[in-house]
Amino acid sequence: KQEVTQIPAALSVPEGENLVLNCSFTDSAIYNLQWFRQDPGKGLTSLLLIQSSQREQTSGRLNASLDKSSGRSTLYIAASQPGDSATYLCAVCNQAGTALIFGKGTTLSVSS
Amino acid sequence: GAGVSQSPSNKVTEKGKDVELRCDPISGHTALYWYRQSLGQGLEFLIYFQGNSAPDKSGLPSDRFSAERTGGSVSTLTIQRTQQEDSAVYLCASSRQGTGTDTQYFGPGTRLTVL
């Protein structure tokens, strides 16, 4: 059974710092890996999607990498801002492409 | 354009009652997913619909849970004889094709509280 783990569970940084969120998964047979952001009381917003054949994706200040063979992904956030404060969720898509399996998230707090 | 919408936003019910939760996907999206998010469990997949294909029900936790999707659009998740452990936020998502290559777009969720 696929399991997704995110470390750390919570992170507090001052504004301007670069930071890395970690995600690991137990079964490398995935269709893709996605990073989402969740703000309190709201739904999920997709940040980046990395297909299983890809190594990384970039969007603005965000860069996500994928090492499928070792079951790891990282989300790099450059020059963090208070508006980046949220819970970040990593999810892997099963090989059938029908379901996302989520980690429990990393709650990020960026102070000004 | 309009995103995924869900109703109601909040639902409080008594143990043993049935509830229906509604999801309106993004227009033109053929794939629809239900998840639930509860404290301590994180986000769990429940069910997946893709066009006219048989749904993937592998995530439904018990036979008290069922879902249907009418006309390839709106979906209803039904929970019969609700239990306190059913309390959670139920999230719906849709994607263009559901082949695994598409981004899933999530609705705001329905918060279900079973007293």
Side-chain angles (χ1 to χ4, degrees):
Chain A
K1 178 185 174 185
Q2 177 76 268
E3 292 184 359
V4 180
T5 303
Q6 291 188 245
I7 295 173
L11 182 62
S12 293
V13 300
E15 181 177 7
E17 274 206 6
N18 302 325
L19 57 101
V20 174
L21 307 182
N22 296 291
C23 173
S24 62
F25 47 96
T26 55
D27 186 349
S28 62
I30 63 171
Y31 208 113
N32 63 47
L33 184 143
Q34 300 181 38
W35 283 93
F36 293 86
R37 168 186 173 138
Q38 186 171 33
D39 293 279
K42 297 187 178 181
L44 277 65
T45 301
S46 178
L47 297 174
L48 291 164
L49 183 155
I50 311 176
Q51 299 296 347
S52 62
S53 58
Q54 297 176 323
R55 299 283 293 185
E56 67 176 339
Q57 282 287 336
T58 298
S59 176
R61 293 183 294 109
L62 306 179
N63 175 276
S65 68
L66 173 63
D67 185 341
K68 199 174 72 164
S69 61
S70 67
R72 296 181 186 276
S73 176
T74 61
L75 178 66
Y76 175 82
I77 303 177
S80 58
Q81 303 171 357
D84 295 332
S85 298
T87 296
Y88 291 80
L89 294 161
C90 169
V92 296
C93 186
N94 64 1
Q95 209 165 32
T98 59
L100 291 174
I101 300 98
F102 284 84
K104 294 191 176 180
T106 294
T107 299
L108 173 65
S109 175
V110 182
S111 56
S112 57
Chain B
V4 177
S5 60
Q6 294 185 246
S7 60
S9 56
N10 282 282
K11 176 71 176 179
V12 180
T13 191
E14 293 180 347
K15 178 181 174 180
K17 296 286 180 70
D18 297 351
V19 295
E20 286 189 351
L21 311 179
R22 176 186 168 107
C23 172
D24 284 85
I26 293 173
S27 177
H29 281 195
T30 62
L32 186 146
Y33 315 76
W34 283 98
Y35 297 85
R36 73 174 176 181
Q37 187 172 32
S38 50
L39 285 175
Q41 295 296 322
L43 262 155
E44 304 171 280
F45 165 76
L46 296 177
I47 190 169
Y48 160 82
F49 294 93
Q50 167 55 27
N52 295 322
S53 302
D56 177 355
K57 304 180 182 180
S58 60
L60 294 179
S62 77
D63 58 8
R64 296 186 296 104
F65 288 72
S66 64
E68 63 178 20
R69 188 178 185 194
T70 55
S73 181
V74 172
S75 177
T76 302
L77 177 69
T78 301
I79 309 173
Q80 296 179 309
R81 305 181 301 283
T82 52
Q83 304 293 313
Q84 289 183 332
E85 60 263 29
D86 299 334
S87 296
V89 176
Y90 289 81
L91 292 165
C92 175
S94 70
S95 66
R96 279 183 310 168
Q97 296 177 338
T99 59
T101 59
D102 301 327
T103 297
Q104 293 187 23
Y105 296 89
F106 282 76
T110 293
R111 181 175 297 277
L112 175 65
T113 303
V114 182
L115 301 176

